[in-house]
Amino acid sequence: DQQVKQNSPSLSVQEGRISILNCDYTNSMFDYFLWYKKYPAEGPTFLISISSIKDKNEDGRFTVFLNKSAKHLSLHIVPSQPGDSAVYFCAAPPSARQLTFGSGTQLTVLP
Amino acid sequence: NAGVTQTPKFQVLKTGQSMTLQCAQDMNHNSMYWYRQDPGMGLRLIYYSASEGTTDKGEVPNGYNVSRLNKREFSLRLESAAPSQTSVYFCASIQQPQETQYFGPGTRLLVL
């Protein structure tokens, strides 16, 4: 059973607008969350993380929001750029040295 | 620093053939990982090595074996490839728990 779920396989957004990618989790013991970005034919690269003691973390155009009561996190990209087109994975650690990943959301930013 | 490197980039196998996927990291990281990525399934952990000399099963270990050859290298072996093992394989490494994982570029494997 997937502990981290991304229910939207794809999202299209116009350049300059906001992109919102969503992620739900089932394990209330998760204490931090990460977002990775993946371009075709490359490995995933770390984008941004958030600790469970926070409800928001911001890094430039990227902001991650955490709603612990709803077991939900979201990644906001403002403004979206064509270079942001990639697959985005959310992830959480079921144990100290492991990560479990969502199935990913393909973001397409249209020029 | 090359980071995490993987060889080969692409491989075609026939059912029943064996092969070893190689992974090396030059960041002096303690822990290394092997994942597979399939459409709609995200990244699933096959095996990991928390430190040199140790290996542990992940979510989908069946049909695979691993060797942590030294601190730098972590190989994944398919003894008898099956079409269900057609996938993209990623190696990753971290220095300490709760650090972000660094991924290699992936090996695309097709089993006919």
Side-chain angles (χ1 to χ4, degrees):
Chain A
D1 191 27
Q2 273 195 302
Q3 297 188 68
V4 177
K5 296 181 183 180
Q6 294 176 258
N7 293 318
S8 298
S10 63
L11 173 69
S12 290
V13 170
Q14 208 68 37
E15 182 179 4
R17 305 294 292 268
I18 184 171
S19 296
I20 301 176
L21 295 93
N22 295 303
C23 181
D24 297 298
Y25 61 96
T26 57
N27 189 340
S28 57
M29 299 300 291
F30 286 154
D31 59 2
Y32 82 105
F33 303 87
L34 307 93
W35 284 93
Y36 280 79
K37 177 178 177 178
K38 185 185 177 305
Y39 292 117
E42 295 183 10
T45 55
F46 169 72
L47 183 59
I48 192 170
S49 64
I50 186 167
S51 165
S52 61
I53 63 173
K54 294 185 174 182
D55 54 16
K56 176 183 172 181
N57 189 27
E58 193 171 351
D59 184 1
R61 294 185 298 113
F62 302 90
T63 303
V64 57
F65 294 92
L66 176 61
N67 182 335
K68 288 187 287 294
S69 61
K71 296 194 184 71
H72 177 83
L73 62 153
S74 60
L75 174 68
H76 293 213
I77 306 173
V78 184
S80 301
Q81 300 173 353
D84 297 328
S85 296
V87 177
Y88 291 80
F89 294 99
C90 64
S95 63
R97 291 184 181 275
Q98 294 188 47
L99 284 178
T100 186
F101 287 82
S103 54
T105 297
Q106 171 70 58
L107 173 66
T108 302
V109 180
L110 304 168
Chain B
N1 274 358
V4 181
T5 56
Q6 293 183 234
T7 55
K9 285 186 167 42
F10 179 70
Q11 183 73 45
V12 180
L13 291 179
K14 294 181 180 177
T15 297
Q17 287 185 316
S18 62
M19 80 162 293
T20 300
L21 283 65
Q22 306 287 354
C23 174
Q25 51 89 11
D26 61 2
M27 297 173 284
N28 202 36
H29 284 175
N30 289 319
S31 302
M32 297 184 73
Y33 303 79
W34 276 106
Y35 293 90
R36 60 178 288 174
Q37 185 198 2
D38 303 293
M41 300 291 288
L43 292 150
R44 292 183 293 168
L45 182 64
I46 304 170
Y47 270 94
Y48 69 103
S49 170
S51 60
E52 189 178 353
T54 69
T55 60
D56 287 284
K57 293 179 181 179
E59 183 186 352
V60 288
N62 290 347
Y64 305 95
N65 286 302
V66 289
S67 295
R68 182 74 183 268
L69 305 168
N70 47 56
K71 192 169 186 181
R72 288 188 65 245
E73 298 171 290
F74 188 37
S75 62
L76 178 72
R77 182 158 178 85
L78 287 71
E79 290 291 352
S80 178
S84 61
Q85 294 177 305
T86 292
S87 188
V88 182
Y89 292 85
F90 291 100
C91 178
S93 68
I94 59 170
Q95 172 64 4
Q96 298 291 348
Q98 299 212 340
E99 291 188 353
T100 60
Q101 293 191 6
Y102 290 85
F103 284 83
T107 294
R108 191 172 294 271
L109 177 65
L110 175 61
V111 183
L112 301 175

